[in-house]
């Protein structure tokens, strides 16, 4: 019984660690995407820039 609980505990730690790694990677990818292609933000004054 103790072996089963230990295995479940280790499995839980592995799952939490993997979720942290995946989440960190997704955030890094999102930051990289925003740096490469910044989102278009509306003009706060509501006026369009004329070229």
């Amino acid at each position: 019984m103790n072996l089963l609980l230990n295995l479940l505990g280790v499995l839980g730690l592995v799952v939490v660690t993997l979720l942290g790694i995946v989440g960190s990677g997704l955030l890094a990818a999102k930051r990289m995407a925003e740096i490469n292609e910044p989102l278009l933000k509306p003009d706060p004054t509501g006026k369009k820039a004329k070229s």
Side-chain angles (χ1 to χ4, degrees):
M1 188 66 182
N2 283 337
L3 179 62
L4 182 62
L5 290 175
N6 284 338
L7 288 175
L8 285 175
V10 169
L11 182 63
L13 288 174
V14 169
V15 168
V16 168
T17 303
L18 289 176
L19 285 174
I21 292 170
V22 169
S24 175
L26 289 175
L27 287 175
K30 185 176 178 182
R31 282 193 213 111
M32 292 288 287
E34 287 179 356
I35 289 172
N36 292 336
E37 298 177 12
L39 298 173
L40 296 175
K41 296 182 181 177
D43 190 8
T45 60
K47 298 177 183 176
K48 291 185 178 179
K50 294 182 180 179
S51 56

